[in-house]
Amino acid sequence: MTTDSKCLFCKIISGQIPSRKVYEDEEVFAFHDINPWAPVHFLVIPKAHIPSMAHITEDHTALMGRMMALVPKLALQEGCNPYPEGGYRLVTNTGAEGGQEVRHLHFHIMGGSRPWLRG
Ligand code: 5GP
Ligand code: ZN
């Protein structure tokens, strides 16, 4: 599996940098955002170092499907309120103009009762 020893999220996956883990399997890792915008704010990431959505091709179809299928389950597990009164935002910033700061693909899941700090 591709990893980048200088990448912050690769270091979180390896445990070199501690995080509050939400979920882990062979290909996917999820953990709470250190600077939450909402009562619930966690990130779902591939264990492979894929820098962004701009790097996704048809080769990633199964991985992307697995990550998306985890979102509803993890959102409820972490305290997002049920749809439709509750729900959550699923956000992926891509590149400098997309507001991406960490260059390891990640999906933000934000939810919980409003108001939120941002978003
Ligand atoms: P981006 O702006 O790239 O879409 O999102 C990066 C996210 O990673 C931000 O929401 C930021 O708070 C979070 N983040 C940055 N450094 C760390 C860290 O060391 N630990 C955790 N848990 N989250 C981080
Ligand atoms: Zn990485």
Side-chain angles (χ1 to χ4, degrees):
M1 185 176 308
T2 318
T3 59
D4 177 346
S5 59
K6 295 191 196 104
C7 168
L8 177 67
F9 286 177
C10 285
K11 288 181 188 169
I12 284 180
I13 293 162
S14 72
Q16 225 178 309
I17 293 176
S19 69
R20 285 174 57 216
K21 184 163 82 175
V22 165
Y23 175 85
E24 179 173 15
D25 66 29
E26 280 184 7
E27 288 187 308
V28 182
F29 196 85
F31 58 103
H32 289 278
D33 197 291
I34 206 166
N35 190 15
W37 302 2
V40 179
H41 187 174
F42 63 95
L43 306 173
V44 174
I45 69 177
K47 283 191 170 175
H49 180 78
I50 300 168
S52 79
M53 270 307 290
H55 299 75
I56 295 301
T57 67
E58 284 182 5
D59 292 346
H60 302 105
T61 302
L63 171 64
M64 295 295 280
R66 277 196 285 276
M67 288 195 289
M68 288 300 99
L70 277 167
V71 169
K73 190 178 120 185
L74 297 182
L76 290 177
Q77 177 189 301
E78 295 308 310
C80 292
N81 297 311
Y83 180 90
E85 291 80 10
Y88 42 85
R89 289 189 67 195
L90 174 63
V91 173
T92 307
N93 300 322
T94 306
E97 292 182 347
Q100 183 180 8
E101 287 175 4
V102 178
R103 294 192 174 178
H104 181 128
L105 176 64
H106 52 280
F107 298 100
H108 294 259
I109 290 89
M110 289 162 284
S113 302
R114 287 184 179 266
W116 296 355
L117 213 57
R118 284 165 70 190

